[in-house]
Amino acid sequence: MQHHDPANPETPQVQVRSCIETPDYSVEDLPNALLDIASFSHMETDSDGFYRALHRVIDKLTQVDSLLIGLVDPETSQLTIPCHLNQAAQDHDYLDPDTLERRAILNLVVQSRELVHINRDDIYRIKISRGLDPEISQIPEDAIGLPLLEGNRIVGVMLLESFAKDFRYSDTEKEMMWQISAQVAKSLHQKDIIGTLMHSKANLKNDNRYLQGLLDEREEIHQRLLHNATHDALTGLPNRALFLKRLRQVIHRSRMNDQVGFAVLFVDLDRFKVVNDSLGHPVGDGLLVEVGCRLRHCVHSSALVARLGGDEFCVLLTVDTSPEVVKMVAKRILENLKQPMYLDGQRVVTSSSIGIAFGHERYETAIDVLRDADTALYQAKSLGRSNFSIFDQSMRDDAVLRMETEQALRQAVEEDQITVHYQPIVDLQTGQLVSFEALARWFHPTLGHVPASTFIPIAEEIHLISQLTGNVFEKAISQVSRWRCEFPGLNELGLNVNISPMQVESEGFVESIQDFLTGVGLPARSLKLEVTESMLLNNPKSATKVLTELHEMNVRLALDDFGTGYSSLSCLNSLPLDELKIDLSFVQNIVDDDRSDAIVQMIVALAQVMDLQVVAEGVETVEQLQILRDLGVHRGQGYLFGTPASGDSIYKQLFEANPRRNSVTDTIPFVPARFN
């Protein structure tokens, strides 16, 4: 292939035309790009046309100013460069594809058979090491080299270069290009076969049977390539690209004929990651294969079962799609997937959740249907394991609201808009104020007051919880430290702060707590961190280790919402706890419900045996207070003693309770008059 060198007018400029028309792509349309590359090799076109079509496909997926293909001779192992398409380099001497630095990169890819990612600094060092002129303007900003593998044999190398300033190929782009390189290798192999076939056709016109064999081989290879491009390699099920293609066809038929109905069932395995992490990926792969087989046995032969990726499967029903029948199919799938599986000598029990979207005239694209089925799946998961949910418009409205809330929360955390309110915790026997619980509060200009029960789970899901609670912790510990110094009698005032599982699992959490305490001069014994039973269930060994380290620092630990989770006595006995907090649901019913009264008695008895303090949440009436006192509950919090209030409001109450400051006096009673 010739190239036009602007520095040398003698070099002719060759225009290579191709009969291949390449459609536009997006990052989400990688499967379609793979299908098109597979089809290029099957078309009657020259090599230049194939390479230019390939360049256009890749250019739609990522930044590629220069594309270079090198082929390895199977006999000599020499590397030749039949393709170099360069559309952005401004330095004429870099138009030469066969430079020493490029040779070094290509050879590195051939030797490693792995993706090689280099930037301009790497290439600069390569040029220096080879005694070349290290002109930075003559080299790309970023480049990735990928091997072209046909089975265990390397057939060539593909090199992508970008000259865009400060551009870097992302991990997502590298993963896409790895899949593209695999398809390019297959297509080049097919082109070799087709070339052999065409050569044989010209020389063996009289041997029809031999020619027919080659034609059959060509067709077999073509069909195999198409199958590989449209089916999941692990399960053999149709993949996302084929599923969306079939779904588009069904949508078209339903819009032409309103008698044609369909339903999409989005199936997701519950806690599949736990299986992978605990039993290993081979067992996880076996689980996915078995799930695919069970799904096919649960539906009519006319249904299309596909694996979209990971542990996500989809079922397209087109026969008898009444709500009753579809619900019956969903229940059959849920029940079937709950049955034990025996994989690699291991007994594996899992469950699934299903989101259902029925055909509707509002649907114009397959992505819309899949989106709504996914929304229904999210709703099903929120109901607990092994459930299904049918999409309705309210779910879409909730999803939109959640997305708006998520975006607003990101901004609120980034701009430090989350405030801290403080709720008093008092000694039930003496009425003394002993601590404050710090509570995150969020007011948004359009969303209004967003409950913590709404934004805390979202913060956990989008991995903002550590930053959010870290901000709350820093504000609260500084505030309580100031109150201890300023008000008489509060020199022993404590602070309760809730912590999340992500914080406990994050690196350096214990050190950050120590730094906060040291920075404000608050004794560790005055800080009490509240943990939940669910945190202990997720990763008990790791949680116990971190909590033990905190306890050794003299930080106090409380188990929040006790009685509503799944803690065993052995679990409690292994944890360095100081306090149990009785869930408010028991406290609210303690006056009229004998069961709640008995549960509180058992919790108090358990705490006495384990030498733990007991705190009652949600105390609202004097009757509740008297019963809790009689049962021996040590401390309480609730509206009877004070609602959560801002730091300024609490300061005003403290000042009014005792305007004299910076002197030693008795502990301030911080309870309403009716308490006594």
Side-chain angles (χ1 to χ4, degrees):
M1 178 178 181
Q2 292 180 306
H3 299 275
H4 177 63
D5 187 348
N8 184 5
E10 301 296 329
T11 305
Q13 184 173 9
V14 180
Q15 298 291 336
V16 181
R17 294 177 294 177
S18 172
C19 63
I20 300 175
E21 293 294 330
T22 308
D24 287 344
Y25 299 91
S26 65
V27 173
E28 292 76 18
D29 212 12
L30 175 61
N32 287 336
L34 294 172
L35 281 172
D36 284 332
I37 293 174
S39 68
F40 292 161
S41 62
H42 191 62
M43 296 182 180
E44 295 290 343
T45 183
D46 57 13
S47 294
D48 286 346
F50 172 81
Y51 291 134
R52 289 186 179 279
L54 172 63
H55 180 264
R56 289 197 295 273
V57 169
I58 297 176
D59 193 44
K60 299 295 183 181
L61 295 173
T62 187
Q63 175 82 19
V64 53
D65 297 324
S66 173
L67 172 67
L68 184 145
I69 302 290
L71 299 180
V72 177
D73 189 296
E75 296 182 359
T76 66
S77 298
Q78 294 298 313
L79 188 68
T80 60
I81 305 175
C83 165
H84 179 229
L85 300 173
N86 191 311
Q87 64 183 30
Q90 300 301 315
D91 300 287
H92 302 159
D93 58 342
Y94 202 73
L95 290 174
D96 178 13
D98 199 7
T99 58
L100 288 177
E101 58 268 31
R102 274 204 178 104
R103 279 284 177 178
I105 296 168
L106 298 179
N107 288 331
L108 179 59
V109 176
V110 171
Q111 293 169 8
S112 66
R113 299 194 176 197
E114 297 288 345
L115 183 147
V116 174
H117 186 187
I118 59 175
N119 56 35
R120 66 186 289 117
D121 294 332
D122 299 323
I123 300 174
Y124 179 89
R125 286 190 288 270
I126 291 173
K127 295 187 73 171
I128 288 291
S129 67
R130 283 161 174 74
L132 303 175
D133 182 11
E135 294 184 15
I136 300 301
S137 61
Q138 297 178 357
I139 58 179
E141 286 288 321
D142 206 37
I144 52 175
L146 306 105
L148 302 178
L149 299 171
E150 180 62 30
N152 294 325
R153 185 171 64 92
I154 184 164
V155 298
V157 184
M158 184 168 70
L159 180 63
L160 282 65
E161 297 172 333
S162 170
F163 290 85
K165 186 172 179 56
D166 296 330
F167 175 84
R168 292 293 181 269
Y169 288 103
S170 67
D171 289 342
T172 299
E173 290 169 311
K174 287 186 282 188
E175 175 62 27
M176 286 194 303
M177 290 306 105
W178 183 263
Q179 297 185 48
I180 289 292
S181 69
Q183 185 59 60
V184 170
K186 293 177 183 178
S187 297
L188 288 174
H189 179 63
Q190 186 187 18
K191 281 187 66 62
D192 288 341
I193 293 175
I194 293 174
T196 301
L197 173 64
M198 299 308 295
H199 180 73
S200 299
K201 181 178 178 181
N203 293 285
L204 301 172
K205 293 181 179 180
N206 297 324
D207 194 345
N208 292 331
R209 285 180 299 179
Y210 182 69
L211 179 59
Q212 186 61 49
L214 292 177
L215 289 171
D216 291 343
E217 182 183 358
R218 170 187 174 182
E219 183 61 25
E220 180 183 349
I221 292 172
H222 177 60
Q223 292 301 325
R224 191 185 310 128
L225 287 170
L226 288 178
H227 182 275
N228 292 341
T230 57
H231 287 74
D232 176 51
L234 178 64
T235 64
L237 295 174
N239 61 16
R240 181 186 182 91
L242 182 55
F243 184 84
L244 292 175
K245 179 180 179 180
R246 296 283 179 83
L247 182 55
R248 283 193 292 267
Q249 294 170 349
V250 171
I251 293 173
H252 178 72
R253 290 201 302 270
S254 69
R255 293 176 69 85
M256 299 295 293
N257 182 358
D258 57 10
Q259 299 301 312
V260 176
F262 66 91
V264 169
L265 283 68
F266 202 131
V267 184
D268 183 81
L269 300 183
D270 298 324
R271 302 185 71 190
F272 173 70
K273 186 177 184 298
V274 175
V275 175
N276 258 348
D277 293 345
S278 60
L279 301 181
H281 289 280
V283 174
D285 289 347
L287 173 62
L288 296 174
V289 173
E290 178 63 20
V291 168
C293 293
R294 293 191 180 191
L295 286 176
R296 284 197 296 263
H297 284 93
C298 286
V299 298
H300 190 270
S301 59
S302 62
L304 177 66
V305 179
R307 181 190 176 206
L308 301 191
D311 61 337
E312 295 179 341
F313 296 81
C314 261
V315 180
L316 175 60
L317 303 178
T318 55
V319 176
D320 196 357
T321 57
S322 63
E324 294 76 15
V325 172
V326 174
K327 289 179 183 179
M328 181 180 66
V329 172
K331 291 177 182 178
R332 186 188 307 143
I333 291 174
L334 293 176
E335 185 62 32
N336 201 294
L337 295 184
K338 283 195 299 185
Q339 302 307 310
M341 305 178 191
Y342 296 90
L343 307 167
D344 196 23
Q346 302 278 353
R347 183 177 185 269
V348 180
V349 179
T350 187
S351 61
S352 59
S353 301
I354 302 176
I356 303 172
F358 284 95
H360 193 278
E361 61 184 7
R362 67 175 174 272
Y363 291 127
E364 296 183 356
T365 69
I367 293 297
D368 292 339
V369 183
L370 210 58
R371 176 203 63 201
D372 288 349
D374 191 23
T375 300
L377 172 65
Y378 183 85
Q379 176 68 19
K381 281 187 171 293
S382 70
L383 300 175
R385 299 179 193 171
S386 200
N387 274 297
F388 72 86
S389 183
I390 298 174
F391 175 81
D392 61 50
Q393 190 56 41
S394 65
M395 293 182 186
R396 171 55 45 201
D397 297 338
D398 291 343
V400 171
L401 176 60
R402 188 187 182 284
M403 181 182 68
E404 293 175 351
T405 304
E406 177 183 320
Q407 294 173 343
L409 180 59
R410 290 184 186 277
Q411 181 178 0
V413 172
E414 183 67 27
E415 298 179 359
D416 198 20
Q417 298 173 4
I418 306 298
T419 60
V420 184
H421 282 205
Y422 302 86
Q423 186 171 33
I425 300 174
V426 302
D427 187 305
L428 296 188
Q429 305 303 322
T430 66
Q432 292 178 341
L433 170 67
V434 293
S435 184
F436 281 108
E437 180 176 357
L439 302 168
R441 292 293 183 263
W442 179 28
F443 178 81
H444 188 267
T446 57
L447 298 174
H449 288 283
V450 184
S453 58
T454 296
F455 71 81
I456 292 296
I458 294 177
E460 290 177 337
E461 186 172 337
I462 62 177
H463 301 284
L464 276 180
I465 190 66
S466 293
Q467 183 179 352
L468 187 154
T469 50
N471 293 344
V472 169
F473 184 87
E474 185 174 7
K475 293 176 182 177
I477 199 171
S478 299
Q479 181 69 82
V480 169
S481 181
R482 287 195 297 270
W483 288 337
R484 286 166 60 102
C485 294
E486 184 169 355
F487 289 99
L490 293 186
N491 56 307
E492 294 296 324
L493 181 66
L495 172 66
N496 287 40
V497 181
N498 295 279
I499 58 175
S500 73
M502 286 187 180
Q503 280 181 291
V504 173
E505 295 172 5
S506 64
E507 185 177 353
F509 174 64
V510 175
E511 292 76 7
S512 67
I513 295 293
Q514 181 67 67
D515 291 343
F516 278 130
L517 294 171
T518 303
V520 299
L522 185 70
R525 67 178 181 276
S526 299
L527 174 63
K528 189 171 291 176
L529 300 179
E530 298 189 8
V531 300
T532 61
E533 295 176 78
S534 61
M535 177 191 303
L536 306 177
L537 288 174
N538 290 337
N539 196 342
K541 289 185 179 179
S542 175
T544 301
K545 179 178 180 296
V546 172
L547 296 180
T548 300
E549 291 178 5
L550 289 168
H551 203 259
E552 290 173 351
M553 288 169 45
N554 214 19
V555 173
R556 301 298 188 239
L557 300 171
L559 187 59
D560 199 10
D561 300 330
F562 185 72
T564 61
Y566 308 95
S567 291
S568 64
L569 291 179
S570 61
C571 178
L572 289 178
N573 194 46
S574 65
L575 293 171
L577 295 174
D578 300 284
E579 184 176 275
L580 297 179
K581 299 191 73 173
I582 304 173
D583 186 71
L584 58 84
S585 61
F586 301 117
V587 175
Q588 291 174 343
N589 298 319
I590 198 171
V591 176
D592 302 317
D593 183 7
D594 292 339
R595 291 186 61 187
S596 295
D597 187 287
I599 290 173
V600 173
Q601 288 187 53
M602 288 189 293
I603 293 175
V604 172
L606 175 64
Q608 289 175 345
V609 171
M610 301 185 70
D611 195 24
L612 301 176
Q613 285 193 324
V614 181
V615 178
E617 297 181 301
V619 184
E620 297 181 355
T621 68
V622 175
E623 291 82 359
Q624 293 170 347
L625 170 62
Q626 190 58 53
I627 293 174
L628 293 170
R629 271 177 163 174
D630 294 341
L631 291 176
V633 176
H634 304 99
R635 297 177 176 181
Q637 67 184 103
Y639 289 175
L640 181 64
F641 313 125
T643 60
S646 67
D648 290 342
S649 178
I650 295 294
Y651 179 86
K652 182 178 180 182
Q653 294 176 56
L654 292 174
F655 188 88
E656 291 174 351
N658 189 345
R660 294 172 300 151
R661 293 176 287 174
N662 297 320
S663 62
V664 179
T665 185
D666 295 331
T667 303
I668 301 173
F670 189 77
V671 292
R674 66 177 181 275
F675 177 85
N676 296 314

